[in-house]
Amino acid sequence: MNNFTYTRATSLSDAVNQAVADQNSMFIAGGTNLVDRLKVFLDQPSQLIDISRLQMQNIEPMADGSLRLGALVSNTAVADNSDIRRNYPMLARAILSGASQQIRNMATVGGNLLQRTRCPYYYDTAFPCNKRQPGTGCPAIAGINRTHAILGASEQCVAVHPSDMCVALAALDAVVEVASPQGQRQIPFKDFHRLPGNRPEQDTNLEPGELITAVILPSLSFGKSGVYLKIRDRASYSFALISVAAAVNLQEEQIQAARLAMGGVAHKPWRATAAEEFLIGKSADVATFTEAAEIALDLAKPLTHNGYKVELAKRAIRRALMVSAQGGGVV
């Protein structure tokens, strides 16, 4: 681990001003991903700015019916919150499907959004990696790419985003609130993370010095039927090969609205908007959900070792939609 200075931010403005003054600094709160990266020299900041004592630990209902999650609320607190469990069950189930209880106790809402890929070529510094060092190459494209992207990848990077929580937030149309010395702004969740393109080293559209302060969950009338389905190599402590967050709103067996997002398939949580649009007005049956799954994977471009993901994702989508149409629950 390289040498760096450590400072504890005394206020929100203190934190962002320090980050702007030293753009090689990084924020730290739970540190459940960042400390691992520091140990293997993936990140070499000149300064760590500890924000863990700032007042961003509340879950607050808002006047318009939305729910505001402070950036420092732990994953455990979100998953255990009664409003989340009642109105956004897909989010609670997504969080509980990831990591261990000890990690969920430390991990925060803001930090979850900033997790970096678990691509083995990114973590192994014996290999080149465009995400770690731009312009050096992507050995995963011709290498062992069983867990890599089938949607939205580029010739520069085929890594996938690892978060379960973010897949549910994508389906729920969450909004990310950030602060900078210029004030606050809100970023729709679909615009928060980036596809790799020619800049795979950039995971998000955050500007230098910007700090996540909260995530806002809009009121979703049919959120109670939401489900989260995660398929992985083993039952616990494993990242998703494929995950699906789904919710449908029915009226007399006809679909009025739908939400569908996937994890383990792209550099960012993947929202299947074309499939959502197809579902509107259709009957909630296996044939409809099968066709929606085909549409959702229409643009898939599997690599040498991950062609299985295409069919796996289709089956997971069909099952998740069917369970949601039956009122939701554990899949």
Side-chain angles (χ1 to χ4, degrees):
M1 191 179 292
N2 285 358
N3 291 331
F4 52 83
T5 59
Y6 167 87
T7 58
R8 180 174 292 162
T10 57
S11 66
L12 184 59
S13 60
D14 177 41
V16 296
N17 286 334
Q18 285 197 56
V20 169
D22 179 0
Q23 297 197 5
N24 194 35
S25 62
M26 300 183 75
F27 297 119
I28 186 167
T32 54
N33 185 211
L34 176 57
V35 172
D36 286 343
R37 302 202 310 266
L38 292 174
K39 289 176 181 175
V40 292
F41 305 103
L42 294 178
D43 293 300
Q44 299 182 37
S46 55
Q47 176 183 216
L48 287 185
I49 304 169
D50 185 348
I51 59 169
S52 62
R53 306 286 178 92
L54 300 183
Q55 297 304 304
M56 297 188 289
Q57 292 96 352
N58 294 325
I59 299 177
E60 305 168 280
M62 308 298 284
D64 62 356
S66 61
L67 198 62
R68 185 178 185 275
L69 314 180
L72 295 178
V73 178
S74 73
N75 286 6
T76 295
V78 175
D80 288 348
N81 181 270
S82 59
D83 288 334
I84 297 287
R85 288 185 170 238
R86 180 171 54 253
N87 297 320
Y88 309 96
M90 73 162 67
L91 177 57
R93 291 180 186 123
I95 292 171
L96 293 173
S97 74
S100 65
Q101 182 65 60
Q102 291 88 347
I103 290 175
R104 292 195 295 268
N105 290 344
M106 288 297 296
T108 64
V109 168
N112 203 307
L113 272 59
L114 299 178
Q115 285 188 79
R116 304 213 73 188
T117 182
R118 262 64 176 187
C119 172
Y121 295 100
Y122 168 73
Y123 274 87
D124 190 340
T125 55
F127 290 94
C129 173
N130 286 328
K131 196 168 188 62
R132 190 177 63 243
Q133 191 172 358
T136 57
C138 177
I141 292 175
I144 304 301
N145 45 44
R146 175 176 174 270
T147 61
H148 291 73
I150 57 174
L151 289 163
S154 75
E155 295 181 352
Q156 302 296 314
C157 181
V158 293
V160 297
H161 196 272
S163 170
D164 294 294
M165 179 180 182
C166 289
V167 179
L169 293 177
L172 292 169
D173 269 342
V175 175
V176 185
E177 180 184 281
V178 302
S180 73
Q182 288 72 44
Q184 290 192 329
R185 69 175 178 125
Q186 294 187 337
I187 308 173
F189 204 81
K190 64 182 178 60
D191 299 326
F192 183 80
H193 295 100
R194 300 177 74 257
L195 290 177
N198 292 323
R199 300 295 304 274
E201 75 278 13
Q202 293 186 353
D203 289 338
T204 73
N205 286 311
L206 285 174
E207 299 293 334
E210 283 190 322
L211 173 64
I212 299 171
T213 54
V215 170
I216 299 169
L217 302 177
S219 176
L220 183 64
S221 61
F222 56 102
K224 294 177 181 177
S225 69
V227 302
Y228 187 74
L229 171 58
K230 180 176 180 178
I231 299 172
R232 46 192 162 176
D233 282 328
R234 58 180 186 272
S236 63
Y237 312 151
S238 187
F239 295 97
L241 297 172
I242 295 290
S243 65
V244 176
V248 293
N249 182 22
L250 298 182
Q251 192 170 76
E252 296 180 352
E253 298 304 314
Q254 188 178 65
I255 300 169
Q256 305 299 306
R259 298 292 176 83
L260 186 60
M262 288 183 283
V265 298
H267 197 258
K268 59 184 287 186
W270 188 267
R271 184 78 178 267
T273 52
E276 291 176 356
E277 292 169 4
F278 163 80
L279 287 167
I280 296 173
K282 303 293 194 306
S283 299
D285 54 37
V286 172
T288 295
F289 295 147
T290 299
E291 191 166 352
E294 293 289 336
I295 293 170
L297 274 298
D298 186 50
L299 298 176
K301 293 181 178 179
L303 302 164
T304 304
H305 302 291
N306 68 0
Y308 74 96
K309 280 192 172 186
V310 177
E311 182 61 25
L312 192 63
K314 291 177 183 177
R315 295 187 184 201
I317 288 171
R318 189 169 60 213
R319 177 165 176 76
L321 288 171
M322 184 60 73
V323 173
S324 179
Q326 294 167 347
V330 178
V331 290

